[in-house]
Structures are given as C-alpha cells and as structure tokens.
Amino acid sequence: MTRPGVVIAGTGQAGFQAAASLRQQGYVESITLIGDEPHIPYQRPPLSKEFVAGKQDVRHLFFRPESFYSTNRIDLLKGETVTGIERASRRVRLASGSSIPYDTLILATGARVRELPVSGVCYLRTLDDSTAIKHRLQTVEHVVIAGGGFIGLEIAAVARGLGKSVTVVEVQPRLMPRVVSPIISDFYRNLHASHGVEVVLGAGLTEIGPRPADLVIAGIGVLPNGELARDAGLATRDGILVDEYLRTEDENIYAIGDCAAHPNPFAGGRIRIESVQNAVDQAVCVASAIAGQRKPYHDVPWFWTDQFDIKLQMVGLSGGYDRVITRGNTGSGKFSVFYFRAGRLLAIDSVNRPGDHMAGRKLLANRIPLTPDQAADESVDLKKLS
Ligand code: FAD
C-alpha cells in the first residue's frame, strides 16, 4: 500500500521547489501540491519587471509545463484552499469539502499584501494582479505608487519606461529604508529622478482625491500567511515559528519560504525572509530531510532587484551594521557597499558589479574574513580571497 506521503500547502516558489526537489532526491511516495491560485506554479519576480512591462510572455513565468506534474507523479490541485490541519489524524481539510492524509506536511503558504485603508488602490502579488496592472498601464497616463521599496520602485521604472508620468510616495525619509544604507537609497533616488520619476519622501498616501491619478499602486509590504498553522495550535509570531531544520513544533509539519520565521545564523536570531533564494534553499533543505539527509538551514541570504538598466544584488543581512565601506565610485553607476559590525563583514550590496556579489557570496558562506581596508582597496582581488 502506498503511504500518504507529503502534502504541500502552497504552490509558490517554495512549494513548487519542495515537490520538484523531493523527486530529484529520490522520494518515491505520494506528493500532493495544493494551491489556491488558478494557475500552475509560476515565478513572481517578473511580475514587477519584464512581464508587467509587456516584454515577457506568460508561458515563461511557469516553472515547468503542466505535463511535468503528472510525469513526476505530483498531484497538483489548483484553485484549492487548505482550510485546516487535523494534526492528531494527520489530515488537511480542503475548501472543496474533502480531506487528504499526510505523513509529512509542508506549509509553503507565502505572504499576502499589506493593504492601505484607502479604496481604489491596486496591489501586486499574483499573476492576476500583474496582468490587471499590465492592462491598465496600456491606457493610463499617470501612475502614483505608494511605497518606495523594491516592488514599488520596480513598477515605477516600468511605468516610466512606458512613458507614463510617475510619482512614488514613501513615508520614510529615504527609499528602500528597511534594507539598504543611505548611500544606496540616495543613488536610487537620483536614478529615478534622472529618468523623470517624481519621488516624494516622508509622506504617506491617505486618500485619493476627487481627480484621482489614473492608476494608484501600493507596494507597502506583506503579511505572512500563518493562520493555518496558528489555528492548528502551532506557534506563530510574524510567521510560522520553525527550528533550524525548518520544522514547526509538530515534527511532521515543516514551514518554508515567505511564511517561515526561522533561526538564521546571518541574522543572529529569528527572521522571516522574502526572497527567491530563501524559498528555494529552504525547500531543498526540507526535501533533503524528508528524503533522509537532515541538515540545518544555514544558506547565505541573497536578493536582487532590477530598476531601469541597474541591477542591485544583495548578499548577507546588513541589519545592525556600524560601518559601511564603498568600493568603486557611486557616480560611475558601478559600486558596492560593504556592511561591517565590529570589523566583521555582514553584507554587500552591489550596483552593477556582479563580480563583487559572487565573491561576497563565497566570502560570507565560507566565513572568510575581509577587513574594511581590503573592502575599500580595489587592488585587492575579492575573487582570489574567496
Ligand atoms: P508565495 O510565492 O507567496 O506562494 C505561496 C502560495 O501559497 C500562493 O500561491 C498562495 O496563494 C498560496 N496559499 C496561501 N495559503 C494557502 C492555503 N491555505 N491553501 C492553498 N494555497 C495557499 N524575490 C527575489 O529574490 N528577487 C526579486 O526580484 C523578487 N521580485 C518579486 C516581485 C514581486 C512582484 C513579488 C510579489 C515578489 C518578488 N520577490 C522577489 C519575492 C519572491 O517572489 C518571494 O519571496 C517568493 O515568491 C516566496 O515564495 P513562497 O512560495 O514562500 O510564497
């Protein structure tokens, strides 16, 4: 008799990767992948970049064609919501009324947009959101974006590239304030201004006036989807609490990706990370554990954002830095910012300098020390050190 196997709630980056990695690692029991969106699993990064700009066909968003799932014996349930977890009997309840047994449950429920208490605002999280915005962009002239974080700024760049007049309103005194240093914030403010984006800092969007901007989009962060775990009696606090193996308090239930608050050695504590790298590497880690190779999750965090012709790549976590060193010249549009605490390298943000980013990934992963002087000295070859 076949075992109930693995059930995965959520068909985003993390859920898809967990299913694919389980098969790659030789797992032979059933895999059921359940997602409430109507599409086969797809990637989100292009939704605020090439896809919304009309430069990428929807087919390129899908991780794999539909046939992949049947070929790999992955039961994909689209448009189906997991509504409850019966931990004692190890079953998940579905909105359609049925229930499915599991040996192991992976919660990969991701996050949902934080909303403004203002009506008439669009948000961007899903393929359907991006498709709707893409269509609106064909007809509108003015775009107002609430939130000067990654997603807001990426859309601003796309909208400007389509010839729209664009205003970005950020409540904090600088752009991308939660994650980058003022050097990077200033660079991006100038970048957007030089392309004709109006950037308003220190101001919040409170209402949409009688002559509204044609299109208002808010990108003001997300909230983790932890309710399923919480209602099943599992601990949640800004996400589903997991240990270093990404297991919840229930040894048969894991949580990965945007929804998982995990102990991270680079953060020096518990953190929830919203990135492709985090979703993929946590999925691989859990798939390995289920397939018999258990090891703690210790991967180096990294992230990227594309705005106009500039790629920002970030590695490590810069929170708590006490010193920054700039390598290269900000005026040249190619530079990196190194973040240190007590002389120890925490993170590197690289603007159009992929070599620094790749070397940084190795330095941080292998705990290779780098001094502030070495970071500043362009004659020091980071690749050789790493
Ligand atoms: P999600 O992708 O959110 O997937 C979770 C899925 O679970 C969703 O489909 C959700 O609807 C579903 N779900 C939730 N609850 C249930 C339930 N009860 N039953 C069934 N299904 C459920 N990261 C980068 O590193 N670089 C980038 O450039 C970048 N750009 C981005 C651009 C955009 C527009 C967005 C939205 C994100 C971007 N990200 C980027 C972040 C990255 O895409 C996310 O971190 C990643 O998708 C997280 O994957 P996940 O599987 O944890 O969650």
Side-chain angles (χ1 to χ4, degrees), residues 66-122:
E66 193 140 19
S67 57
F68 169 85
Y69 301 93
S70 47
T71 308
N72 286 280
R73 290 190 304 110
I74 296 167
D75 291 327
L76 175 63
L77 306 187
K78 292 179 286 179
E80 180 67 271
T81 305
V82 179
T83 53
I85 307 168
E86 291 165 10
R87 286 170 53 197
S89 57
R90 286 201 219 160
R91 298 185 80 88
V92 291
R93 286 192 303 274
L94 305 182
S96 59
S98 57
S99 76
I100 299 180
Y102 64 82
D103 291 316
T104 306
L105 173 63
I106 303 176
L107 298 174
T109 47
R112 60 181 178 275
V113 292
R114 191 186 287 276
E115 295 190 9
L116 281 171
V118 176
S119 59
V121 177
C122 295

Side-chain angles (χ1 to χ4, degrees), residues 161-366:
L162 294 171
K164 314 298 166 190
S165 90
V166 180
T167 305
V168 174
V169 183
E170 165 58 50
V171 77
Q172 297 292 326
R174 62 189 181 87
L175 296 175
M176 301 181 281
R178 282 189 306 136
V179 277
V180 301
S181 61
I183 300 166
I184 303 272
S185 296
D186 291 349
F187 175 83
Y188 274 88
R189 185 185 183 175
N190 292 336
L191 174 72
H192 280 264
S194 72
H195 283 272
V197 174
E198 186 191 4
V199 178
V200 182
L201 298 173
L205 194 74
T206 50
E207 63 178 309
I208 298 173
R211 291 202 57 205
D214 291 349
L215 177 60
V216 181
I217 305 170
I220 53 165
V222 296
L223 300 168
N225 292 322
E227 291 76 5
L228 208 50
R230 186 199 62 201
D231 295 347
L234 300 171
T236 60
R237 197 172 346 106
D238 183 36
I240 305 168
L241 300 196
V242 291
D243 66 13
E244 58 180 340
Y245 299 101
L246 308 170
R247 253 182 347 198
T248 65
E249 294 166 311
D250 182 328
E251 62 176 3
N252 302 309
I253 306 180
Y254 292 86
I256 56 174
D258 280 15
C259 69
H262 65 279
N264 188 302
F266 295 91
R270 193 176 284 284
I271 192 169
R272 209 171 53 70
I273 297 181
E274 297 153 16
S275 75
V276 167
Q277 171 280 320
N278 181 72
V280 169
D281 289 344
Q282 291 196 338
V284 171
C285 179
V286 164
S288 304
I290 295 169
Q293 299 259 337
R294 198 168 81 128
K295 62 176 177 45
Y297 178 71
H298 279 169
D299 294 339
V300 184
W302 56 264
F303 185 85
W304 79 96
T305 173
D306 297 325
Q307 296 167 36
F308 299 108
D309 53 350
I310 303 283
K311 184 179 280 294
L312 170 64
Q313 293 168 291
M314 310 168 73
V315 59
L317 296 171
S318 60
Y321 67 87
D322 58 22
R323 187 167 178 197
V324 294
I325 297 287
T326 305
R327 185 181 180 93
N329 180 350
T330 53
S332 71
K334 288 184 181 179
F335 64 99
S336 293
V337 176
F338 291 65
Y339 300 80
F340 291 87
R341 183 170 59 222
R344 190 171 63 82
L345 179 65
L346 295 179
I348 308 171
D349 293 346
S350 302
V351 174
N352 280 358
R353 277 179 71 125
D356 288 357
H357 174 75
M358 294 313 292
R361 277 203 217 174
K362 291 190 188 151
L363 290 173
L364 286 162
N366 299 319

Side-chain angles (χ1 to χ4, degrees), residues 133-162:
I133 291 173
K134 183 167 83 167
H135 289 139
R136 293 281 310 276
L137 280 172
Q138 284 170 2
T139 53
V140 301
E141 283 179 15
H142 309 291
V143 180
V144 172
I145 294 164
F150 296 123
I151 288 180
L153 293 175
E154 286 179 357
I155 302 262
V158 167
R160 198 61 206 117
L162 294 171

